[in-house]
C-alpha cells in the first residue's frame, strides 16, 4: 500500500480579511506552506473558493456586508466545501465568540494580536491533518481493491442453508462445473465437500453467533485445510441466515513445522518494533540487528554480523563508568528473561552515549532447545531528561525559576534540623514588594511580572550561594539563611536588600521606584518548627508595613501577642458573621440651614462579648485581608435596608447610606445583593445610597464606569467617600456617574486653624458645585465649622455637633424629636 509523503509546500491557503495589513502579515507567516490567496470580503471569498479549492481558510469575523460567521455557515451547508478546515483569526477574545466559532464548525480560533510562531504551528498542524485525512481515504480505497484480490471464498446462506451469494464467479473452488448455478439456491451439502458441510452444520448447533474453526478435507491422497469463519446473522432476534468465509490454509499448515523456528524469531522481533533489537546465537555472536539498533550502536548489521555483542554494544554504569556485563549472556547462561541493570549507558561506535533500558530473552526452537538470545532495548535519555525537567518544574517557580514554596519547605525543614543538631540558628527573611498591587493594576500584569523578575535577580545577586532565595507567589520572596547565623548578620543582610531596591527599575520604558518590607524570624529563638518560623516572619513583615514600609522588622514577643490578638479578632469576627451579631449604628446627616434630618450613614460595629464594641479601624482591615469583607458588607446592607423599611412603615422617608469596600465594589455579587435587599424589603431604590472611596473607584477606571452604570440603573445614589484623601484625579472623576461628594473629616476638623485645609475644603465644595453634586461635610463638631461650611456653600453636615452614631431605637427617637 503506497502513501505519498506529506508536502505542505503544495498547499493552498485562503486568507479572508478586510484589513490588508493583517493579510500581508499572515501571508508572510505562512508563505512557506504553498500558494496563498486572499479576499477582502465574504462575498468575494465565496466566489473565489470554487476556483481555488483551498486546503485551509483563515477567516476574520468583523467584515463589511457579510461577517466571517456567515461565510463559515454558508460553506458548511455545501457538501463540496464543508470539509475545508476554517481557522478564525480575530481581535475578539471573548469566550462567547470562540464558542460560536467552534459551534459553526471552525477547527481553531486565534486572537489578535497573535504570536507568529504559534500561528504558524497551528496552520501547519491543520494542513498536515488535512493531508493525512486524504491519505487515509486513499489508503481505504487501496484496501478495498486489495480485499477483492484476496483468495478468500465468501458465501451467504439463508436460515435453511440455501446459497444466496458467493464470490467464486470462476468456479475455482471445489471444481464447480457451472459457476452460474452457484446462485440458484443450492443446498450446503450440494455446494461443499461432505466433511466441510458437516463441520459447518455441526458448529451451527454450538452457542455463539461467531465461530472459527479449521476443517481437514481429504481428496484422494491429498489433504486440504480450510479455515472457516462462520457468523449467524439475526435481525430483531430472528434468524436471517449465515455468513461463511473460507480460507485455504493448506500451504500454511504444511509449511508450519518447517517455518516454526524462523516464525518464533520473527514474532519476538516484530513484537519489539520501535525498540532496538539485537539477536545472537548461543555464543553471543550477532545474527540480526534492526535499524534502531544500528542507529544507537553506530554499527551497520553487515559489519556487525558474527561479532561479539559486547564489541558492538558496550555497556557501562552511567554514574561510576564501570563496564557492565551484557544481560544477554545472563539470559543464555540462566535460560531466562533478564532485565538490564539500572543506569545502563550504551557507548556507540562513534563515542555517543545513550541511557538505555529493557531486557534480554532466550530463543528456543519447536523442541524447546535454546538456539540463541534476543536483546531488546530503547533509548531513555529524553525520558530521563524529561523526568529531571518535570522535577525541576514541580519545585521551582515558573516566572522566576526560583525554588517555590514546596522546595523551600523541604530546605527549611533540613535547615531547622541541622540547626538543632549543630546548636546553630536558621533564619528566614520574608520580603514583600510595597504597593505592588497598585503598580500591577496601573501598568498591567505583564509589567508586574517583569518587576518581580527584576527584583528576584537583584535579590539573588546579593546572596551567598549557601542561602536559598525562593518565591512564595505573588510579590512575596523568602531568603533562607543557613550556617552560622546571628541577629547582626540577618540585620546586615536585610539592610543590603533594602538598599538594593532604591535603584529604580526600568519598566515599559520608564523608571519606576520600588521598595520592600521585610520580616525576620530566627529558629529556635522565635519558633519551634518551620511552619511557625514562616508564620512569625509573616507577622514581622506586616509590622514593617504598618510602621511605614521600606524597612525590616524582627519578630518579637510583642508581635506574638499581636498575632494572637489578630487571630482572636478574626475568630470573633467570623463568629459574629456566622451568628448575625454585627450591630449597625446610624449617624444622621443634617441640613445645616434648618437642622432637619436629610439622611443617615450606617456604621457597623463588632461586639466584643463584654458589652463593648471593637473599633472598625481594627476589624475592617482584618476583614479585607481575610476575605470576609464581602459577607460583612452584605450583612450591613441587608440590616440597613430592613431599617429603612421600618422607618417607612412609621411614615419616615430617610435615605440611608452604606459603605462599600473596594473588594466588595469589584465583586460580581454586589449588584445581586442590592437587588435582593431592595426586593425583600419592598424599598424604593432612591432611599439607598452607596458610599465608595476614591481608592476603590480608581483601581480599574473602565470597570468602574461600567459598574457605576449598572448600580445607577437600579435607581440608587452613589457617593464618593473621603474625597481629597485618595487619587483625586479630575480627568477620571468627571467621567464617573456619581451623585454626592463627601468632604473628609480630616480637612473639616482643622479648616479653621489650618489655611491649607480651609483652601482644600473650599476647592472641593467649588468642584462639587461645578459638577452638580450634592455635598456632605464629615466630622462637623463646632458651630464655627458649621457656619464656615454654610458660607462656602455646603449645606449638609454630619458629625458630633449634631449626633454621634446611635443605635436603632435612639435614632428613631432622634428623628421624631
Amino acid at each position: 500500500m503506497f502513501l505519498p509523503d506529506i508536502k505542505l509546500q503544495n498547499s493552498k491557503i485562503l486568507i479572508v480579511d478586510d484589513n490588508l495589513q493583517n493579510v500581508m502579515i499572515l501571508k508572510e507567516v505562512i508563505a512557506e506552506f504553498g500558494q496563498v490567496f486572499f479576499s477582502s470580503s465574504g462575498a468575494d471569498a465565496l466566489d473565489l473558493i470554487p476556483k481555488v479549492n483551498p486546503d485551509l481558510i483563515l477567516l476574520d469575523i468583523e467584515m463589511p456586508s457579510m461577517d466571517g460567521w456567515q461565510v463559515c455557515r454558508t460553506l458548511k451547508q455545501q457538501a463540496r466545501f464543508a470539509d475545508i478546515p476554517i481557522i478564525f483569526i480575530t481581535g475578539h477574545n471573548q469566550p462567547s465568540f470562540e464558542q460560536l466559532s467552534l459551534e459553526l464548525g471552525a477547527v481553531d480560533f486565534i486572537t489578535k494580536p497573535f504570536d507568529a510562531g504559534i500561528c504558524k504551528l497551528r496552520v501547519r498542524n491543520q494542513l498536515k491533518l488535512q493531508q493525512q485525512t486524504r491519505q487515509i481515504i486513499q489508503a481505504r480505497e487501496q484496501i478495498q481493491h486489495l480485499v477483492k484480490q484476496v483468495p478468500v471464498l465468501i458465501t451467504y446462506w439463508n436460515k435453511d442453508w440455501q446459497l444466496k451469494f458467493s464470490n467464486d464467479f470462476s468456479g475455482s473452488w471445489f471444481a464447480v462445473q457451472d459457476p452460474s448455478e452457484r446462485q440458484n439456491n443450492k443446498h450446503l451439502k450440494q455446494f461443499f465437500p461432505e466433511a466441510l458441510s458437516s463441520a459447518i452444520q455441526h458448529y451451527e448447533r454450538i452457542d455463539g453467533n461467531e465461530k472459527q474453526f479449521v476443517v481437514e478435507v481429504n481428496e484422494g491422497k491429498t489433504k486440504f485445510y480450510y479455515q472457516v469463519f462462520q457468523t449467524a446473522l439475526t435481525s430483531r432476534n430472528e434468524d436471517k441466515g449465515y455468513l461463511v468465509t473460507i480460507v485455504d490454509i493448506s500451504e500454511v499448515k504444511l509449511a508450519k513445522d518447517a517455518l516454526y523456528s524462523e516464525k518464533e524469531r520473527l514474532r519476538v522481533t516484530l513484537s519489539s518494533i520501535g525498540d532496538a533489537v539485537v539477536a545472537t546465537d548461543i555464543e553471543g555472536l550477532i545474527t540480526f540487528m534492526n535499524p534502531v539498533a544500528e542507529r544507537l550502536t553506530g554499527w551497520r548489521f553487515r559489519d556487525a554480523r558474527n561479532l561479539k555483542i559486547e564489541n558492538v554494544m558496550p555497556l557501562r554504569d552511567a554514574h561510576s563508568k564501570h563496564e557492565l556485563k551484557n544481560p544477554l549472556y545472563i539470559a543464555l547462561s540462566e535460560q531466562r528473561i533478564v532485565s538490564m541493570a539500572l543506569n545502563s549507558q550504551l557507548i556507540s561506535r562513534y563515542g555517543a552515549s545513550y541511557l538505555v533500558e529493557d531486557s534480554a530473552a532466550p530463543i528456543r526452537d519447536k523442541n524447546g532447545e535454546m538456539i540463541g538470545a534476543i536483546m531488546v532495548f530503547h533509548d531513555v535519555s529524553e525520558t530521563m531528561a524529561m523526568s529531571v525537567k518535570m522535577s525541576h518544574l514541580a519545585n521551582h517557580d515558573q516566572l522566576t525559576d526560583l525554588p517555590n514554596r514546596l522546595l523551600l519547605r523541604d530546605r527549611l525543614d533540613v535547615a531547622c534540623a541541622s540547626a538543632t543538631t549543630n546548636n546553630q540558628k536558621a533564619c528566614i527573611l520574608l520580603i514583600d514588594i510595597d504597593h505592588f498591587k497598585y503598580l500591577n493594576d496601573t501598568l498591567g500584569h505583564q509589567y508586574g511580572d517583569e518587576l518581580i523578575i527584576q527584583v528576584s535577580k537583584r535579590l539573588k545577586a546579593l546572596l551567598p550561594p549557601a542561602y536559598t532565595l525562593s518565591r512564595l507567589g505573588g510579590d512575596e520572596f523568602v531568603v533562607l539563611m543557613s550556617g552560622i547565623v546571628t541577629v547582626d548578620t540577618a540585620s546586615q543582610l536585610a539592610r543590603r536588600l533594602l538598599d538594593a531596591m532604591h535603584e529604580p527599575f526600568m519598566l515599559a520604558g520608564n523608571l519606576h521606584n520600588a521598595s520592600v518590607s521585610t520580616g525576620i524570624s530566627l529558629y529556635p529563638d522565635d519558633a519551634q518548627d518551620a511552619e511557625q518560623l514562616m508564620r512569625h516572619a509573616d507577622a514581622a513583615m506586616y509590622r514593617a508595613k504598618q510602621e511605614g514600609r521600606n524597612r525590616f522588622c524582627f519578630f518579637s514577643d510583642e508581635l506574638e501577642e499581636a498575632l494572637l490578638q489578630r487571630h482572636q479578632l478574626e475568630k470573633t469576627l467570623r463568629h459574629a458573621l456566622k451568628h448575625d451579631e454585627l450591630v449597625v449604628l446610624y449617624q444622621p446627616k443634617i441640613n445645616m440651614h434648618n437642622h432637619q434630618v436629610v439622611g443617615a450613614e450606617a456604621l457597623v460595629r463588632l461586639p466584643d462579648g463584654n458589652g463593648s464594641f471593637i473599633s472598625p479601624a481594627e476589624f475592617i482591615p482584618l476583614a479585607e485581608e481575610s476575605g470576609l469583607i464581602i459577607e460583612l458588607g452584605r450583612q450591613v446592607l441587608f440590616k440597613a435596608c430592613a431599617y429603612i423599611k421600618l422607618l417607612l412603615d412609621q411614615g419616615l422617608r430617610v435615605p440611608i447610606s452604606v459603605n462599600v469596600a473596594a473588594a466588595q465594589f469589584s465583586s460580581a455579587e454586589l449588584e445581586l445583593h442590592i437587588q435582593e435587599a431592595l426586593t425583600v424589603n419592598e424599598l424604593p431604590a432612591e432611599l439607598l445610597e452607596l458610599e465608595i472611596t476614591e481608592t476603590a473607584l480608581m483601581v480599574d477606571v473602565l470597570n468602574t464606569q461600567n459598574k457605576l452604570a449598572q448600580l445607577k440603573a437600579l435607581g440608587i445614589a452613589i457617593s464618593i467617600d473621603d474625597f481629597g484623601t485618595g487619587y483625586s484625579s479630575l480627568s477620571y472623576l468627571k467621567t464617573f456617574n456619581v451623585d454626592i461628594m463627601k468632604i473628609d473629616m480630616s480637612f473639616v476638623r482643622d479648616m479653621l486653624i489650618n489655611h491649607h485645609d480651609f483652601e482644600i475644603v473650599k476647592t472641593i465644595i467649588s468642584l462639587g458645585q461645578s459638577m452638580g453634586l450634592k455635598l456632605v461635610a464629615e466630622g462637623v463638631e463646632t458651630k464655627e465649622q458649621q457656619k464656615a461650611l454654610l458660607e462656602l456653600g455646603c449645606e449638609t453636615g454630619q458629625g458630633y455637633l449634631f449626633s454621634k452614631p446611635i443605635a436603632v431605637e435612639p435614632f428613631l427617637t432622634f428623628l421624631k424629636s
Side-chain angles (χ1 to χ4, degrees):
M1 190 181 307
F2 172 73
L3 291 177
D5 293 333
I6 296 177
K7 296 182 178 179
L8 300 183
Q9 296 84 352
N10 300 328
S11 302
K12 290 183 287 184
I13 307 169
L14 174 61
I15 303 174
V16 186
D17 197 319
D18 60 339
N19 188 315
L20 183 59
Q21 183 179 3
N22 292 340
V23 172
M24 299 308 294
I25 292 173
L26 279 171
K27 185 175 181 180
E28 182 178 353
V29 171
I30 64 176
E32 70 179 76
F33 296 137
Q35 292 179 281
V36 180
F37 304 86
F38 71 91
S39 294
S40 59
S41 69
D44 290 343
L46 293 177
D47 291 336
L48 183 60
I49 288 172
K51 303 173 184 177
V52 175
N53 195 23
D55 299 295
L56 178 66
I57 298 175
L58 303 179
L59 183 57
D60 190 18
I61 293 179
E62 294 290 343
M63 294 185 295
S65 71
M66 176 183 285
D67 61 29
W69 287 331
Q70 291 175 291
V71 174
C72 181
R73 190 180 290 110
T74 301
L75 290 175
K76 296 304 178 182
Q77 291 173 350
Q78 302 181 41
R80 178 181 174 187
F81 307 121
D83 292 332
I84 299 177
I86 296 174
I87 299 177
F88 278 102
I89 301 186
T90 175
H92 294 287
N93 60 5
Q94 297 92 328
S96 59
F97 278 72
E98 183 174 0
Q99 179 178 351
L100 178 57
S101 301
L102 297 176
E103 288 176 350
L104 290 175
V107 297
D108 205 346
F109 186 92
I110 302 176
T111 58
K112 303 173 186 175
F114 55 81
D115 182 278
I118 294 177
C119 179
K120 183 176 180 180
L121 286 174
R122 291 185 172 185
V123 170
R124 176 184 177 275
N125 289 343
Q126 291 300 330
L127 289 172
K128 188 174 181 180
L129 180 62
Q130 182 76 345
Q131 293 200 18
Q132 288 174 340
T133 301
R134 292 175 179 172
Q135 289 184 354
I136 291 173
I137 294 174
Q138 180 181 353
R140 186 183 298 118
E141 293 175 351
Q142 293 175 352
I143 290 174
Q144 290 176 349
H145 290 303
L146 180 64
V147 169
K148 292 179 182 179
Q149 302 177 35
V150 172
V152 176
L153 176 61
I154 302 173
T155 60
Y156 173 64
W157 308 80
N158 67 11
K159 62 182 180 179
D160 297 322
W161 286 107
Q162 292 177 321
L163 183 65
K164 294 300 179 183
F165 170 80
S166 169
N167 68 338
D168 185 18
F169 300 108
S170 64
S172 58
W173 288 81
F174 309 117
V176 176
Q177 298 298 320
D178 186 2
S180 62
E181 292 185 2
R182 297 172 69 86
Q183 307 297 336
N184 295 333
N185 296 324
K186 293 288 186 180
H187 191 270
L188 180 70
K189 292 183 177 180
Q190 298 174 299
F191 186 75
F192 288 136
E194 180 180 359
L196 188 56
S197 62
S198 298
I200 292 173
Q201 289 184 313
H202 167 75
Y203 279 96
E204 172 196 0
R205 296 186 290 272
I206 298 176
D207 292 338
N209 291 334
E210 296 181 7
K211 294 96 174 179
Q212 176 182 339
F213 50 93
V214 175
V215 179
E216 178 181 332
V217 177
N218 294 314
E219 293 185 8
K221 295 182 179 180
T222 304
K223 290 185 178 180
F224 293 91
Y225 296 90
Y226 298 103
Q227 188 167 22
V228 182
F229 300 87
Q230 180 176 326
T231 304
L233 304 178
T234 60
S235 177
R236 297 181 180 179
N237 298 324
E238 294 182 2
D239 294 338
K240 299 289 290 185
Y242 306 91
L243 179 66
V244 179
T245 304
I246 298 177
V247 181
D248 186 350
I249 59 170
S250 303
E251 292 184 7
V252 176
K253 181 68 175 176
L254 294 174
K256 184 176 181 180
D257 292 342
L259 295 177
Y260 182 89
S261 296
E262 186 62 26
K263 180 182 177 182
E264 178 65 8
R265 188 191 306 275
L266 181 61
R267 185 189 66 79
V268 175
T269 302
L270 291 180
S271 67
S272 306
I273 248 175
D275 288 348
V277 179
V278 179
T280 72
D281 61 14
I282 57 176
E283 301 297 330
L285 301 176
I286 293 177
T287 58
F288 173 81
M289 291 177 65
N290 73 348
V292 180
E294 290 181 330
R295 177 176 63 82
L296 293 180
T297 62
W299 285 80
R300 293 290 185 91
F301 173 51
R302 63 172 179 264
D303 300 325
R305 186 192 293 271
N306 294 325
L307 293 180
K308 284 283 189 178
I309 189 170
E310 63 267 26
N311 297 330
V312 176
M313 186 184 170
L315 298 175
R316 70 182 184 186
D317 186 276
H319 297 315
S320 67
K321 308 304 180 184
H322 293 160
E323 183 179 345
L324 296 175
K325 183 177 182 179
N326 196 297
L328 181 135
Y329 286 113
I330 301 176
L332 286 172
S333 62
E334 299 184 7
Q335 299 187 20
R336 64 179 179 87
I337 297 176
V338 180
S339 295
M340 190 175 292
L342 295 176
N343 299 316
S344 293
Q345 190 176 51
L346 168 65
I347 307 302
S348 76
R349 186 178 187 181
Y350 302 107
S353 61
Y354 304 94
L355 291 173
V356 292
E357 66 177 25
D358 243 326
S359 60
I363 302 175
R364 305 177 186 277
D365 62 15
K366 67 175 183 178
N367 297 319
E369 297 294 330
M370 191 168 61
I371 59 174
I374 191 162
M375 185 80 188
V376 182
F377 60 96
H378 58 271
D379 179 11
V380 295
S381 302
E382 290 187 6
T383 303
M384 296 295 290
M386 181 59 70
S387 176
V388 172
K389 182 177 180 180
M390 293 301 293
S391 176
H392 182 84
L393 290 175
N395 290 282
H396 288 77
D397 174 55
Q398 293 188 14
L399 181 62
T400 62
D401 202 39
L402 295 175
N404 59 15
R405 185 186 297 270
L406 185 66
L407 183 54
L408 172 66
R409 180 56 189 267
D410 182 65
R411 293 186 180 179
L412 193 53
D413 288 337
V414 173
C416 290
S418 176
T420 300
T421 302
N422 301 315
N423 196 25
Q424 294 177 340
K425 299 183 188 298
C427 176
I428 61 171
L429 285 71
L430 180 60
I431 303 169
D432 186 90
I433 302 175
D434 295 330
H435 301 297
F436 176 76
K437 186 178 187 302
Y438 168 70
L439 184 144
N440 204 35
D441 292 337
T442 304
L443 295 181
H445 294 282
Q446 175 183 353
Y447 294 107
D449 288 347
E450 178 60 28
L451 175 62
I452 288 174
I453 292 172
Q454 292 189 32
V455 168
S456 70
K457 290 180 179 178
R458 195 173 293 184
L459 292 174
K460 191 173 184 179
L462 298 171
L463 299 178
Y467 290 3
T468 295
L469 174 64
S470 67
R471 181 185 178 215
L472 293 186
D475 60 327
E476 286 190 333
F477 299 87
V478 170
V479 175
L480 169 60
M481 302 174 65
S482 55
I484 301 176
V485 179
T486 65
V487 173
D488 288 339
T489 58
S491 178
Q492 292 170 9
L493 176 61
R495 174 56 59 191
R496 289 203 307 272
L497 297 181
L498 287 178
D499 293 342
M501 297 299 111
H502 292 164
E503 181 182 348
F505 295 88
M506 179 65 71
L507 299 173
N510 297 308
L511 292 175
H512 291 268
N513 293 315
S515 64
V516 297
S517 298
T518 303
I520 307 173
S521 180
L522 285 86
Y523 173 89
D525 303 50
D526 301 328
Q528 297 178 353
D529 54 40
E531 182 177 350
Q532 192 178 46
L533 190 65
M534 285 289 296
R535 192 167 65 249
H536 288 178
D538 186 62
M541 185 269 291
Y542 273 103
R543 170 60 63 87
K545 286 189 175 293
Q546 291 172 355
E547 292 180 354
R549 296 182 169 86
N550 189 28
R551 65 192 65 224
F552 63 88
C553 181
F554 280 88
F555 183 78
S556 64
D557 292 338
E558 178 189 356
L559 276 180
E560 175 74 8
E561 179 63 26
L563 194 64
L564 292 174
Q565 290 178 359
R566 185 178 185 275
H567 176 71
Q568 183 58 42
L569 179 58
E570 182 176 347
K571 184 178 179 181
T572 302
L573 178 58
R574 290 184 182 276
H575 182 274
L577 290 173
K578 182 178 180 180
H579 296 90
D580 194 25
E581 294 177 353
L582 292 177
V583 174
V584 177
L585 305 182
Y586 298 90
Q587 186 172 34
K589 300 175 184 178
I590 304 297
N591 184 317
M592 293 186 291
H593 277 302
N594 55 26
H595 290 271
Q596 290 184 348
V597 177
V598 295
E601 180 180 358
L603 299 169
V604 64
R605 296 292 186 266
L606 175 63
D608 63 359
N610 298 317
S612 300
F613 291 133
I614 299 172
S615 169
E618 295 184 37
F619 70 84
I620 293 296
L622 175 61
E624 292 175 337
E625 293 173 15
S626 59
L628 299 174
I629 192 67
I630 294 178
E631 174 60 20
L632 185 150
R634 187 192 71 83
Q635 292 193 18
V636 172
L637 172 67
F638 274 77
K639 288 178 182 290
C641 287
Y643 191 54
I644 297 174
K645 174 63 173 175
L646 184 148
L647 296 177
L648 269 179
D649 291 342
Q650 298 194 34
L652 300 171
R653 291 179 64 87
V654 181
I656 292 182
S657 60
V658 177
N659 290 284
V660 175
Q664 188 182 5
F665 178 72
S666 61
S667 70
E669 296 91 351
L670 178 60
E671 185 180 359
L672 297 176
H673 291 165
I674 293 172
Q675 287 178 326
E676 184 181 357
L678 293 175
T679 302
V680 168
N681 293 286
E682 299 178 347
L683 292 181
E686 62 267 18
L687 293 181
L688 178 63
E689 175 186 322
L690 298 185
E691 293 193 12
I692 308 170
T693 63
E694 280 185 273
T695 305
L697 293 175
M698 294 299 294
V699 170
D700 185 335
V701 174
L702 180 59
N703 184 58
T704 294
Q705 291 174 331
N706 296 332
K707 193 84 169 186
L708 290 176
Q710 294 172 357
L711 296 175
K712 290 287 290 182
L714 298 177
I716 62 177
I718 304 295
S719 171
I720 298 181
D721 194 15
D722 301 336
F723 185 79
T725 63
Y727 295 92
S728 301
S729 175
L730 300 182
S731 61
Y732 287 118
L733 180 61
K734 66 182 182 180
T735 67
F736 294 155
N737 187 9
V738 297
D739 307 284
I740 304 162
M741 183 184 294
K742 298 192 74 175
I743 307 170
D744 188 63
M745 65 175 65
S746 62
F747 302 125
V748 174
R749 180 177 58 245
D750 297 329
M751 64 179 290
L752 299 181
I753 60 175
N754 186 309
H755 175 70
H756 294 290
D757 284 351
F758 182 86
E759 290 299 323
I760 290 174
V761 172
K762 180 179 177 181
T763 302
I764 293 174
I765 292 173
S766 176
L767 174 64
Q769 290 173 336
S770 67
M771 297 178 66
L773 302 178
K774 297 179 182 178
L775 294 164
V776 178
E778 295 182 309
V780 181
E781 297 181 354
T782 67
K783 291 185 177 181
E784 289 76 14
Q785 292 171 345
Q786 173 183 343
K787 179 181 177 182
L789 288 167
L790 285 171
E791 290 174 352
L792 291 174
C794 178
E795 297 183 351
T796 306
Q798 178 183 347
Y800 277 29
L801 177 61
F802 314 110
S803 173
K804 65 179 181 180
I806 52 180
V808 171
E809 291 301 329
F811 183 76
L812 185 59
T813 303
F814 181 87
L815 287 175
K816 293 180 179 180
S817 66

